[in-house]
Amino acid sequence: MARKMVFVDTSLCTGCKACSVACKAWNDLPAEKTKRITSYQSQADFTPNTWTYVRFREEYKDNKMHFNMLKLQCFHCDDPACMKACSSNAIYKTESGYTLVDREKCIGCGYCAANCPWGVPKIDEATNKMYKCTGCIDRVENGMKPACAQICQPGAIQFGDYDELMPKAQARVAELQLTNPKAHLYGDNLMGGTTYVYLLQDRPGAYGLPLNPTTPISLTLWKDIVHPLGGIAIGASAAAITAGVIVNLVRGNYANRAKNIAESHDEGGK
Amino acid sequence: MAKEVYRFSAGERFVHWCHGVAFLLLLFTGLGVLVYAFQPAMNIFGGIQVTRNIHRVVAVLFTIGMIVGFIGKGQGARQMRRWFKDVINFGNDDFAHAKNFPIEFFGGHKPFPPQGKFNGGEKLNSMFTILGTICIVISGYIMWFASGPSLLLQWAYPIHAACALFMAALLIAHLYLGILHPDSNQALKGIFTGWVPAKFAYEHYEKWYNEEAKETIRG
């Protein structure tokens, strides 16, 4: 299947939150008690049962209030930190660009959750499994749009083949830049390129997004340096003691040892 | 019976075995989480989730054992504190011994200055173990209790893994010297009964033998 893309155009978003409802409906996720977080935001963060929500930021410019509204879900990175962190081979990429978790393999260790630059994966402590947005892979593979894209009335969530949708996204940015020079794409060049790409109308920080999300250095150190070096150290140690036994045998030290001990018995020690 | 001197008090042996048994259990269960290929082996405990809980229970018992081993006024705790003070005190004589370590490791011998209760090589092993244990305990509790992505948690992972893997490498060499090495394995009895051959003690820890050990001679 060709690489897919979801284009989230914040300039069209009305903040209706239908996307998060559609996500729950399609994925059979139970509703959770919500409370007002700030502005119109009713969900603080992802949970094992909430895979997408809308973040609201209010900003005042020239005495006018601006809503920075952002529908959040897994970005489906091409080079995901969660997959690198996973010690159980439970996270994998599809050809279509999705980052998915195999919950048969997942053990709930939380390494993914700790290393995702956007804090997307959440561990259900009761089942010890990780849950996050699947990109509605089950719909996509059957020729349908993801539930959030399907429901979005103003067309702020668009779905299509990457090669076709990306030029449209770039054209939309160019169009907006005529009146708003801050308009830009977010995600297309992050973490190897994300499947969910955003059009932001302000700097990422205005939406509470990290400016330059990366794979944590600690994760690279852990998986690419500590693990191979640790393996080498254990291997070298095992090889050294094997050589030690052989060299001691060849030198006759084991035979001498028995003799020495016998002598020390005769002498009665020192 | 050959003459023997008293080397390890009950307290020292308790801490050693508490550390040893806990380390092996923690290493085995930890590898089940860390290395995918080890996961099937965790079925002997009843699966990976049971294993993760065993790892935590043993970690707590281990931490308590270490603390109990070092605090208090008892003779054992005093010995442990003395060991700690001894091994972090690394002088020229220790260096001279550690320098010859590769020769001794492969069964050769080169004279070294008289050593205290712990020789240069043992001091190095002890210092690595102390440092590794402190780091692995702290990073482990961070991994257990930290919530949400944070730098603290992210850095705890490589530190925990590095300590585990390098202490495992150290353990392999330690087992060799204690069990398989034809000269140094004379000390093996000491960690079970506390007593080691007097001749061995004299040859390996001359300073300690003359200053302390010879008063305990028996047999």
Side-chain angles (χ1 to χ4, degrees):
Chain A
M1 182 178 270
R3 178 144 186 227
K4 300 296 177 190
M5 173 174 157
V6 178
F7 177 44
V8 184
D9 184 345
T10 61
S11 70
L12 298 177
C13 177
T14 60
C16 72
K17 305 180 189 174
C19 48
S20 57
V21 176
C23 173
K24 292 221 174 220
W26 175 258
N27 291 299
D28 214 7
L29 299 169
E32 290 173 301
K33 190 149 180 64
T34 55
K35 60 171 188 175
R36 199 180 74 88
I37 307 300
T38 176
S39 186
Y40 276 89
Q41 189 174 335
S42 51
Q43 183 79 31
D45 193 5
F46 299 104
T47 75
N49 288 321
T50 299
W51 299 348
T52 186
Y53 68 97
V54 184
R55 186 189 282 164
F56 291 77
R57 289 275 194 283
E58 290 176 15
E59 267 201 317
Y60 292 85
K61 286 176 208 156
D62 306 326
N63 270 343
K64 269 178 80 181
M65 199 276 275
H66 291 261
F67 262 137
N68 292 333
M69 293 176 290
L70 190 73
K71 173 232 189 278
L72 286 154
Q73 76 297 304
C74 174
F75 282 71
H76 296 275
C77 316
D78 200 41
D79 183 15
C82 60
M83 187 167 87
K84 192 180 182 70
C86 182
S87 291
S88 301
N89 290 3
I91 299 177
Y92 62 100
K93 289 294 297 180
T94 67
E95 216 180 283
S96 44
Y98 287 80
T99 307
L100 300 176
V101 56
D102 177 350
R103 275 190 281 275
E104 289 287 305
K105 287 184 177 174
C106 175
I107 63 169
C109 64
Y111 298 166
C112 54
N115 283 290
C116 170
W118 290 289
V120 170
K122 294 292 171 193
I123 309 296
D124 182 349
E125 301 290 344
T127 58
N128 278 315
K129 301 286 173 191
M130 183 269 267
Y131 292 86
K132 71 166 190 68
C133 159
T134 64
C136 286
I137 187 73
D138 44 353
R139 292 174 60 92
V140 169
E141 286 191 342
N142 288 293
M144 291 189 280
K145 295 175 182 178
C148 57
Q150 178 75 42
I151 203 82
C152 185
Q153 295 306 304
I157 308 169
Q158 295 159 36
F159 172 79
D161 284 351
Y162 197 93
D163 294 340
E164 285 171 22
L165 193 49
M166 184 49 88
K168 287 183 193 164
Q170 284 160 342
R172 175 67 180 156
V173 172
E175 187 186 341
L176 278 184
Q177 277 180 337
L178 297 175
T179 51
N180 176 9
K182 284 182 174 172
H184 69 285
L185 289 183
Y186 181 85
D188 55 327
N189 54 5
L190 299 174
M191 304 297 289
T194 58
T195 295
Y196 280 68
V197 177
Y198 285 80
L199 187 159
L200 302 182
Q201 306 166 85
D202 202 344
R203 64 191 200 286
Y207 294 87
L209 288 171
L211 180 64
N212 190 21
T214 51
T215 299
I217 302 168
S218 53
L219 180 59
T220 306
L221 175 78
W222 176 20
K223 297 286 176 163
D224 296 343
I225 297 174
V226 167
H227 276 197
L229 276 186
I232 290 170
I234 290 173
S237 190
I241 74 160
T242 310
V245 170
I246 293 169
V247 172
N248 272 304
L249 267 175
V250 171
R251 286 181 160 178
N253 288 342
Y254 286 102
N256 289 339
R257 176 186 194 271
K259 215 175 79 193
N260 280 340
I261 290 173
E263 274 170 16
S264 70
H265 276 244
D266 294 342
E267 291 168 15
K270 191 89 183 174
Chain B
M1 196 177 95
K3 286 193 171 158
E4 292 181 325
V5 290
Y6 194 56
R7 178 150 174 81
F8 294 122
S9 70
E12 285 172 292
R13 282 175 275 145
F14 167 78
V15 172
H16 174 270
W17 287 113
C18 183
H19 189 112
V21 171
F23 184 79
L24 282 174
L25 273 172
L26 289 165
L27 180 68
F28 189 72
T29 52
L31 284 176
V33 176
L34 189 66
V35 183
Y36 185 56
F38 276 89
Q39 248 184 53
M42 299 306 123
N43 287 327
I44 64 166
F45 294 120
I48 189 72
Q49 297 304 339
V50 183
T51 305
R52 291 176 68 204
N53 287 330
I54 292 173
H55 194 79
R56 290 172 178 148
V57 171
V58 175
V60 170
L61 294 177
F62 170 67
T63 317
I64 294 170
M66 287 299 109
I67 293 169
V68 168
F70 276 89
I71 60 168
K73 288 180 178 161
Q75 186 228 6
R78 274 207 314 276
Q79 295 277 20
M80 287 316 299
R81 292 197 290 267
R82 176 240 164 110
W83 164 76
F84 183 83
K85 248 182 255 168
D86 265 11
V87 299
I88 58 169
N89 219 321
F90 198 82
N92 285 339
D93 287 355
D94 301 308
F95 182 75
H97 177 273
K99 205 174 52 167
N100 289 353
F101 174 74
I103 299 169
E104 300 269 346
F105 189 92
F106 292 107
H109 183 69
K110 216 176 151 187
F112 49 82
Q115 301 287 302
K117 181 171 178 185
F118 302 101
N119 64 38
E122 287 169 335
K123 284 186 178 185
L124 283 179
N125 178 49
S126 298
M127 283 193 281
F128 282 129
T129 305
I130 291 165
L131 186 70
T133 301
I134 290 171
C135 292
I136 208 166
V137 165
I138 293 172
S139 59
Y141 283 107
I142 289 172
M143 285 160 66
W144 187 353
F145 292 110
S147 61
S150 66
L151 274 181
L152 189 71
L153 178 57
Q154 287 171 357
W155 279 93
Y157 294 133
I159 291 170
H160 203 73
C163 292
L165 296 175
F166 287 100
M167 282 202 284
L170 209 57
L171 173 69
I172 292 172
H174 181 65
L175 290 174
Y176 164 74
L177 291 169
I179 300 169
L180 292 173
H181 190 277
D183 187 31
S184 69
N185 73 356
Q186 294 179 72
L188 187 60
K189 209 185 148 200
I191 206 62
F192 289 102
T193 66
W195 296 86
V196 298
K199 182 167 178 273
F200 163 81
Y202 176 77
E203 284 168 0
H204 289 77
Y205 314 96
E206 194 180 328
K207 220 168 116 193
W208 171 69
Y209 184 89
N210 288 330
E211 285 169 10
E212 298 169 61
K214 70 177 174 194
E215 290 162 25
T216 66
I217 204 153
R218 74 168 188 188

